[in-house]
Amino acid sequence: IIFSFLAIFLVVAAGFFLGYPLELIVLFFVYSMTLLTSSITGLFNGFFQAKLLNKYVIFSELITSIAFFLLLLILIFLKQSLFFIIAAFLFSTIIALLTSFYFVRKFLKITLLPKKKNLTRFFAEGYPFALTQILSGLYYRIDVVIISKLLNNYALGLYSAAFRLTESLTIIQGAFVQPLFPIMSSLFKNSSKNLEVSYNLGLRYMVYLVLPIAIGGAMLAQKIIFIVYGAEFADPSVYLSFIILLWGALVMLVNQISITTLNSSLNEKKVVKIYFIGLFANVLLNFFLVPVFGIVGAALSTLIAEIILFLFLYFLLKKELHIDFSWIVKVVVACIIMAFFANLIIGQNTIL
């Protein structure tokens, strides 16, 4: 909660420092309040995941999605402004918080004023995770800020269209990666060999899942953008940014498996350093590439930064675990064959 308030303060302060209009800063504040509600909900969900009670996590996330979707439909029908849409998202996260709080009270006695010695211990153990959340939030959003300052709102709108589509892949992170943390933590305590097996299986199944999505999305990029956003976004830069961001999302999800493995094996401080390196690389790349290539440069910056993170994570984990990539050739060959036949089908089907 303390770090969430700090993050909210930094967001508002950055808005004033960068010279954004007051109306936009208010939007930043309302949206950043979701950091507070989501962090508390995440704390409760972390308890459920640690106890393998994932049904409560799923129910909470389902309630959030349904509430926001219904509110969004109402607001669109009433033709309300962006402020009300962001406020609706905040309201849906509050519903998720209250839902998780209701369920967690069945298992825990919650006190808002913990003992001083417990508070000190929690801070000492938890600050790396808090710093990781702050750094990762900046890392995954800094491109939007840089585009808004170096280009214009039109370019920001085009980039956001591509970005929002690939952002939906974070559902995979919530459904696949997050439940691995308690499992890997337990395996780390009992057997490093089992942790190694779990890590390699996680990598393999993540690539199995996401690589076909990246290839299929790249093949259908133009049609996907047109169906979702219409002819207004029929811009080659949007198509190319979408394709690059898809591959960036693939590397990001693979990286999340490695980050979860490090966190579960008491290497959370190393994760903080890696995110700091990624943030520095992403900012530097954006300032070099965005003025030259526009929104495509921002997408390239994201992909390159994720590859840098992948290399750091790979060489770091290689010291502790045997990483098996012997299966990757078969997966790539299978996806190439899939792409070949999919291209034939698409070429003969005017609907696709």
Side-chain angles (χ1 to χ4, degrees):
I1 296 174
I2 295 173
F3 280 103
S4 296
F5 278 116
L6 176 62
I8 293 170
F9 170 77
L10 291 175
V11 167
V12 175
F16 281 109
F17 177 77
L18 293 172
Y20 286 110
L22 182 60
E23 295 81 2
L24 196 56
I25 294 174
V26 172
L27 288 179
F28 289 162
F29 172 75
V30 175
Y31 183 77
S32 62
M33 283 297 294
T34 62
L35 294 173
L36 176 62
T37 56
S38 298
S39 65
I40 301 174
T41 305
L43 180 65
F44 295 152
N45 289 344
F47 167 78
F48 293 136
Q49 290 170 346
K51 298 296 182 181
L52 300 181
L53 298 169
N54 290 314
K55 62 181 180 180
Y56 296 112
V57 179
I58 294 171
F59 184 80
S60 173
E61 293 178 349
L62 184 63
I63 288 292
T64 306
S65 300
I66 292 175
F68 180 62
F69 178 72
L70 292 176
L71 288 171
L72 186 61
L73 288 180
I74 294 171
L75 292 173
I76 291 174
F77 178 76
L78 296 176
K79 298 181 180 179
Q80 293 297 321
S81 64
L82 179 62
F83 173 82
F84 289 96
I85 294 175
I86 295 176
F89 180 65
L90 174 61
F91 181 73
S92 66
T93 62
I94 293 173
I95 293 176
L97 169 60
L98 295 175
T99 304
S100 298
F101 178 73
Y102 172 78
F103 288 128
V104 83
R105 287 182 60 196
K106 297 181 178 181
F107 305 95
L108 294 175
K109 181 181 179 181
I110 299 175
T111 174
L112 296 178
L113 296 173
K115 296 180 180 179
K116 185 177 180 180
K117 62 178 183 179
N118 290 336
L119 188 61
T120 304
R121 179 171 62 86
F122 291 154
F123 182 82
E125 295 178 358
Y127 85 88
F129 294 100
L131 287 176
T132 296
Q133 289 298 314
I134 293 173
L135 288 173
S136 65
L138 291 171
Y139 171 75
Y140 290 116
R141 294 293 184 273
I142 196 66
D143 49 356
V144 175
V145 176
I146 292 175
I147 289 173
S148 69
K149 300 306 292 183
L150 297 184
L151 300 178
N152 50 51
N153 289 335
Y154 176 72
L156 180 60
L158 294 178
Y159 183 77
S160 297
F163 177 79
R164 290 301 176 191
L165 286 176
T166 57
E167 191 180 35
S168 61
L169 291 176
T170 56
I171 295 173
I172 297 174
Q173 180 181 344
F176 186 86
V177 180
Q178 291 180 4
L180 286 177
F181 179 73
I183 298 172
M184 286 184 164
S185 297
S186 177
L187 292 174
F188 173 72
K189 293 178 182 178
N190 299 321
S191 170
S192 59
K193 184 63 178 177
N194 288 336
L195 177 63
E196 181 182 291
V197 172
S198 177
Y199 171 70
N200 281 296
L201 283 175
L203 279 180
R204 181 182 300 189
Y205 287 115
M206 180 60 76
V207 174
Y208 284 171
L209 180 62
V210 183
L211 185 57
I213 295 175
I215 293 175
M219 294 175 63
L220 296 171
Q222 186 172 349
K223 294 178 175 63
I224 291 172
I225 296 296
F226 180 79
I227 291 171
V228 175
Y229 295 112
E232 295 83 359
F233 289 84
D235 189 293
S237 64
V238 180
Y239 307 147
L240 188 54
S241 296
F242 174 62
I243 293 170
I244 296 171
L245 288 171
L246 263 179
W247 288 96
L250 166 63
V251 184
M252 180 271 290
L253 288 168
V254 170
N255 287 342
Q256 289 302 313
I257 300 288
S258 300
I259 288 170
T260 300
T261 304
L262 286 174
N263 282 332
S264 64
S265 56
L266 304 180
N267 286 299
E268 58 272 10
K269 292 181 181 179
K270 294 180 180 178
V271 174
V272 174
K273 295 177 182 178
I274 288 173
Y275 264 121
F276 183 81
I277 292 170
L279 176 61
F280 177 77
N282 204 5
V283 171
L284 200 63
L285 287 165
N286 270 284
F287 274 113
F288 274 107
L289 296 179
V290 169
V292 179
F293 300 106
I295 65 173
V296 176
L300 279 171
S301 299
T302 298
L303 176 58
I304 296 171
E306 287 293 345
I307 293 173
I308 292 172
L309 285 188
F310 173 82
L311 293 174
F312 272 97
L313 290 165
Y314 173 77
F315 287 112
L316 187 60
L317 282 168
K318 192 178 180 182
K319 298 177 182 178
E320 308 293 335
L321 304 172
H322 170 67
I323 303 176
D324 179 22
F325 277 115
S326 60
W327 46 269
I328 193 68
V329 175
K330 295 180 180 178
V331 178
V332 172
V333 170
C335 286
I336 291 173
I337 295 172
M338 178 204 75
F340 174 76
F341 284 103
N343 189 53
L344 290 178
I345 295 172
I346 294 170
Q348 296 175 3
N349 194 326
T350 56
I351 297 178
L352 294 175

